[in-house]
Amino acid sequence: MTMDVTFLGTGSAYPSPHRGASALVLRTEGECWLFDCGEGTQTQLMRSQLKAGRISKVFISHLHGDHLFGLPGLLCTVSLNSNPDPQQSLSRVDIYGPRGLRHFLRVTLGLTGSQLLFPYAVHELEPTGDQSPEEGQLSPEVTADRGPLHPQEQPGRTISLDVSSECYLLFDDQRFVVKAFRLFHRVPSFGFCVQEHHRPGRLKTELLKELGLKPGPVYGRLKAGKAVTLEDGRVVLPSEVLEDPIPGRKVCILGDCSSVLGEKPLMLCHGADILVHEATLANEHREKAQDHGHSTPGMAAAVARACCARRLVLHHFSQRYKPGGAQKEGDKDDVSELKRQAEEALQDSGVDVVLAEDFLTLSVPIRTNA
Amino acid sequence: MTMDVTFLGTGSAYPSPHRGASALVLRTEGECWLFDCGEGTQTQLMRSQLKAGRISKVFISHLHGDHLFGLPGLLCTVSLNSNPDPQQSLSRVDIYGPRGLRHFLRVTLGLTGSQLLFPYAVHELEPTGDQSPEEGQLSPEVTADRGPLHPQEQPGRTISLDVSSECYLLFDDQRFVVKAFRLFHRVPSFGFCVQEHHRPGRLKTELLKELGLKPGPVYGRLKAGKAVTLEDGRVVLPSEVLEDPIPGRKVCILGDCSSVLGEKPLMLCHGADILVHEATLANEHREKAQDHGHSTPGMAAAVARACCARRLVLHHFSQRYKPGGAQKEGDKDDVSELKRQAEEALQDSGVDVVLAEDFLTLSVPIRTNA
Ligand SMILES: [Zn+2]
Ligand SMILES: [Zn+2]
Ligand SMILES: [Zn+2]
Ligand SMILES: [Zn+2]
């Protein structure tokens, strides 16, 4: 049940020796989900404690190169390092991102003759016209995924906005429900909300004893949410003998943006354990940031406050902000100032602020009812 | 007139923290020509002494990802770091490579909304059917550069094999003639021969004095290769009063290959100051190397011997061969063994062997007639 987030690249626009381009990994039970994949992500992965072969899902927030150019190479390297044992078929990698991503991968993998040992599918999110200026929108002609599928490509879904909830349902499995929502940026951009399902509360063992129930299979039935009929005909409902359910954890990762579209995504992200938000430039450059579809610490803080997030993690810093260790005397841009600005905006809100750095890992502890 | 070669990535298959993916720069008079551009090349460039903004030409040997995946990001970053002064129009970047490269760039730059501040043109080399197994060949349908040009794209040439010389003429300008030739690999691959033009020899000043000619514009005319008529009607030919021309330098850079196609490319490369050849695996893995379209040090040495190269530079090492500094006790693969194997094969040939490493710079001194 461990869950953590590792930042592989926290720089904006391009990778540099100081900061990788955008990429982070959400890890649960050894499975790795990659969010964005700028150029050099595979090398950053090799430098980290994570295993590229564990990546089962990839989420691309938007199609800017600093979030995408590492993906074809990453898939090739995962394949090269996977076990080519034909007996053991490798499981599929599911890739989620804006319309156009399927064509991007088909062309880049196809023209380079990149063979993969595992199947993949690209599930495309259909943006709406208000996610970017008009010049940032791709015509259906440009994104059409014509031509034959890659030999390992399986048909992916096309996912449209659910207008009533203002979000996209990516999947809902035994452990997680994952949704996307719309952001405003120079090109259509998305945020992702990973919500762990609630788990049943603990059994009230004292009460069970009073009811005359002894530990055994019956306890399992109740814990699994099923009613039990006693020998004397009485029916015990799970709700009577279970503590409150343990709330699932919630991690929200937003792509580049100057704003979130709609009110409901803020409710979707309500109470997030971790809200990852960009802060490309400091508050004093707010106008420039907005012109480029980016945010300042103050803008990120406003989103975190609206969501009542527990922790706001800032990343996607302009390369002018060097990490602490790489700063030199005379550098006038100080990344810690970004943290200070977010903290100032979050005074008395109870939201913690964290500055991401390449290779920083944050754990997301199990919630308690206390 | 300085000329040097800097290796930015000497690893094969994928970039690693120990070795970058394939890329090297040939620099002459501050102008940089980039040969191959694996993922991470832009970061390697930042780590080097070279300036990305100086790249005026790019040569892609073949379309494998480890030679290409860094190109879209590199172009974007060069653009971001260039002077956006509209008064000062930036000069065009010419890109040479196999058919399919134009489509690759148009799709990757187009889908990512990558705007460039400089124009570019892709000049495609038309491979022949014998450069790879059939499954490595791309159908014209897949490589067709349909759709609108990138806003900064200028139409490029399509260059076919000149059958009589067994090579492709890329360009021939005041200083250099650059040709490509065919290699056999898993996908069609090319080698490049950069030949500096000969420069006129020195004036025989003693002889000129004997002829009664005094220093002045007449000397310039003779040096420029023009005949001069003296007052007494005698004609002085440049060939009479000039030393032998100073031979131009020659640098040959081969892409991935298990062999060179045809005999004439070996003559084209005759006497190369530097011959850059891959050596992916050691001699004892020759069969595996050939199966994958690669070479061993012994195979590279045979090419260097056939060309009478002055220096053979090995690169594109399997990531199993760590650079000297990164080797650990117990590592059984030793890159210096690759050098030893090439030297053994080149005994008494007069060919020097150099192992490339990331960030190694080799200068190519001016030739003398001595
Ligand atoms: Zn970005
Ligand atoms: Zn962006
Ligand atoms: Zn290669
Ligand atoms: Zn190759």
Side-chain angles (χ1 to χ4, degrees), chain B residues 327-341:
Chain B
Q327 270 204 313
K328 296 200 193 95
E329 223 172 308
D331 281 353
K332 61 179 199 293
D333 297 300
D334 184 353
V335 72
S336 65
E337 176 64 11
L338 303 181
K339 184 179 185 195
R340 206 198 51 73
Q341 293 182 348

Side-chain angles (χ1 to χ4, degrees), chain A residues 226-249:
Chain A
K226 287 171 188 147
V228 165
T229 307
L230 303 185
E231 282 172 8
D232 61 6
R234 275 183 303 154
V235 174
V236 181
L237 296 174
S239 56
E240 295 174 65
V241 295
L242 287 172
E243 310 257 11
D244 286 342
I246 299 163
R249 289 162 283 187

